[in-house]
Amino acid sequence: MKIIAADVIVTSPDRNFVTLRITTDEGLTGLGDGTLNGRELSVASYLADHVVPLLIGRDPHRIEDTWQFLYRSAYWRRGPVTMAAIAAVDVALWDIKAKAAGMPLYQLLGGASRNGIMAYGHASGRDLPELFDSIRRHLEMGYRSIRVQTSVPGLNAVYGVASQPSTGGKRYDYEPAQRTALPAEEDWDTRAYLRHLPGVFEAVRNEFGPELPLLHDGHHRMTPIEAARLGKALEPYDLFWLEDCTPAENQEALRLVRRHTTTPLAIGEVFNTVWDYQTLIREQLIDYVRSAVTHTGGITAMRKLLDFAAQYQIKSGIHGPTDISPVGMAAALHLDLAIHNFGIQEYMQHGPATNEVFRQSFTFTDGYLHPGELPGLGVELDEQAAARFPYQPAYLPFNRLKDGTVHDW
Ligand code: EZ4
Ligand code: CO
């Protein structure tokens, strides 16, 4: 079998997505997700200008060889743009291999290790009544694990808080990327956040009881000692995890956090290779790996990363926000089903226009996702529908402190 074409499709149904479609001389096609939120066109160019010409004529079955070739022949290693581009190729090739085998992809990864994939959704509120309502609506939608994000008194806009219940009154959608020419400016105050958050979790536990798994995302905003203090303060509320408590480029910072708290820690949605986790995993400084298949070089690299983590009883918590396309989500679901050290899967749910462009076969029942039984990933792209939604510039927000200093967002 030979690759005869590879097309980069940029579409913006509810938000921007970058998809690679690889076509073989036997008529099989495979899809890969290369969406990098707020920097989409850089991956589209990396693929179209520098990768697609190298793929034509290659044997699509040689996935490991293609991965190593793309990683090593570029000379310049790692980085989110490179690793998203490699991921798009890798996942498209896995899709083709599984279709050629006539099996859902998870079968090629060793088969199912579980019946379903526990998913968590994003509840949020500007105050407690709104937050409780959002949690209730997520429970009605079938979620059995809930991430809790809240406004902070005195701050205008806080990461993770939906501005209002979305149309139809059913969902509280939060989409951080905004279709604006410039990134939106938000405000931040760590002391106000640390004072406010434990009381919110106490109220949620009092309202919803001790069993419901609760998660929280610190979104890289704390210093190590601040993160240690928050982890300690949240211990009575038994979190499933505290995510991205520090900007973890400095992996050693987690030693300090770990010494002070038994709140489980999840890190890594902005990481893109196993090297970003070397100290975190070897020294058992985290409990969950947060990488996305889309940003970490695809199934091939994620499998190795999660197998490394498994040796230290560290589990998966694969990133699944709306900026991972249905193709990237499907790749995550097949991996989730197959690996032994599965932890939990983030599942935010895409909008109706996205579901029109990407035809999907996954199911969500009683809190559990399943990728379905179609050969390959189980996702097909409707190119005519995609063409109706051209790319629109969009940026993630950024933070400034009260005195004007830029802060981690
Ligand atoms: O801010 O995916 O845990 N989920 C997150 C996400 C990220 C966005 C950035 O593109 O932190 O909401
Ligand atoms: Co996060």
Side-chain angles (χ1 to χ4, degrees):
M1 198 159 37
K2 275 189 167 45
I3 296 173
I4 57 165
D7 303 289
V8 181
I9 299 144
V10 181
T11 179
S12 194
D14 300 293
R15 60 168 345 284
N16 292 319
F17 294 111
V18 177
T19 309
L20 180 70
R21 184 184 52 207
I22 295 179
T23 307
T24 73
D25 58 351
E26 294 183 10
L28 288 176
T29 58
L31 297 177
D33 177 26
T35 307
L36 185 61
N37 204 358
R39 295 292 185 272
E40 294 87 358
L41 296 185
S42 59
V43 184
S45 161
Y46 192 111
L47 284 167
D49 297 331
H50 302 293
V51 173
V52 166
L54 314 183
L55 295 177
I56 308 302
R58 291 182 71 86
D59 177 356
H61 279 308
R62 297 185 64 181
I63 299 177
E64 179 72 27
D65 180 70
T66 301
W67 196 98
Q68 299 296 343
F69 167 67
L70 291 176
Y71 185 75
R72 293 172 202 285
S73 73
Y75 186 67
W76 310 106
R77 295 183 188 205
R78 309 165 64 180
V81 177
T82 298
M83 299 313 290
I86 294 176
V89 175
D90 183 80
V91 170
L93 294 182
W94 277 109
D95 192 16
I96 288 170
K97 190 184 281 292
K99 283 178 179 171
M103 291 180 185
L105 174 55
Y106 73 82
Q107 293 290 8
L108 273 59
L109 303 174
S113 286
R114 57 195 51 76
N115 303 324
I117 298 157
M118 183 168 76
Y120 74 89
H122 288 197
S124 67
R126 286 167 298 185
D127 51 28
L128 285 178
E130 199 175 277
L131 175 60
F132 289 0
D133 187 43
S134 176
I135 294 172
R136 276 190 203 101
R137 283 173 194 271
H138 277 82
L139 294 172
E140 284 165 18
M141 286 160 73
Y143 286 104
R144 298 291 171 264
S145 305
I146 310 267
R147 189 183 88 157
V148 169
Q149 304 293 132
T150 169
S151 292
V152 175
L155 296 181
N156 296 318
V158 173
Y159 164 78
V161 182
S163 52
Q164 59 197 18
S166 69
T167 45
K170 271 229 169 276
R171 289 172 51 190
Y172 283 78
D173 293 302
Y174 174 68
E175 172 54 66
Q178 292 167 31
R179 286 167 163 165
T180 48
L182 294 172
E185 182 176 319
E186 297 185 349
D187 52 349
W188 185 247
D189 178 344
T190 304
R191 290 189 66 228
Y193 165 75
L194 293 179
R195 279 197 304 275
H196 185 64
L197 194 67
V200 170
F201 271 91
E202 182 183 21
V204 170
R205 276 286 174 231
N206 288 340
E207 181 73 13
F208 293 93
E211 274 181 42
L212 182 64
L214 297 176
L215 304 83
H216 178 72
D217 193 342
H219 225 262
H220 327 270
R221 289 161 191 217
M222 287 166 276
T223 64
I225 200 69
E226 289 165 348
R229 190 175 139 203
L230 180 64
K232 223 165 142 175
L234 293 175
E235 278 171 22
Y237 314 114
D238 188 24
L239 266 62
F240 185 94
W241 78 33
L242 171 62
E243 175 183 347
D244 286 332
C245 61
T246 66
E249 292 102 313
N250 175 17
Q251 297 181 40
E252 291 164 20
L254 272 295
R255 289 180 187 147
L256 191 150
V257 182
R258 202 61 153 174
R259 274 201 292 273
H260 291 284
T261 180
T262 56
T263 292
L265 302 175
I267 278 189
E269 70 184 36
V270 301
F271 291 173
N272 43 70
T273 72
V274 68
W275 302 104
D276 301 316
Y277 289 96
Q278 198 175 17
T279 302
L280 295 178
I281 291 178
R282 217 182 44 214
E283 296 186 20
Q284 305 186 109
L285 302 178
I286 58 170
D287 301 282
Y288 296 93
V289 163
R290 281 290 283 148
S291 278
V293 177
T294 300
H295 300 141
T296 316
I299 299 266
T300 298
M302 275 295 274
R303 181 69 198 243
K304 292 175 186 179
L305 165 57
L306 291 172
D307 284 348
F308 174 41
Q311 311 312 312
Y312 298 87
Q313 293 176 287
I314 296 171
K315 294 182 177 179
S316 72
I318 298 181
H319 197 207
T322 43
D323 47 286
I324 300 300
S325 88
V327 176
M329 276 301 293
L333 298 185
H334 285 279
L335 200 50
D336 287 334
L337 201 64
I339 57 172
H340 178 249
N341 57 327
F342 170 76
I344 199 166
Q345 173 65 51
E346 184 180 28
Y347 174 46
M348 264 181 85
Q349 304 204 6
H350 291 110
T354 302
N355 295 333
E356 192 192 334
V357 171
F358 297 93
R359 305 234 173 87
Q360 304 163 54
S361 62
F362 77 92
T363 54
F364 181 52
T365 316
D366 291 330
Y368 288 93
L369 290 157
H370 192 285
E373 300 296 344
L374 289 180
L377 287 169
V379 184
E380 292 303 329
L381 186 137
D382 180 334
E383 209 171 354
Q384 283 177 351
R388 296 207 330 268
F389 305 104
Y391 168 79
Q392 292 188 36
Y395 284 102
L396 287 167
F398 76 109
N399 271 332
R400 283 193 194 277
L401 306 178
K402 206 171 202 158
D403 70 357
T405 308
V406 171
H407 189 76
D408 298 291
W409 182 79

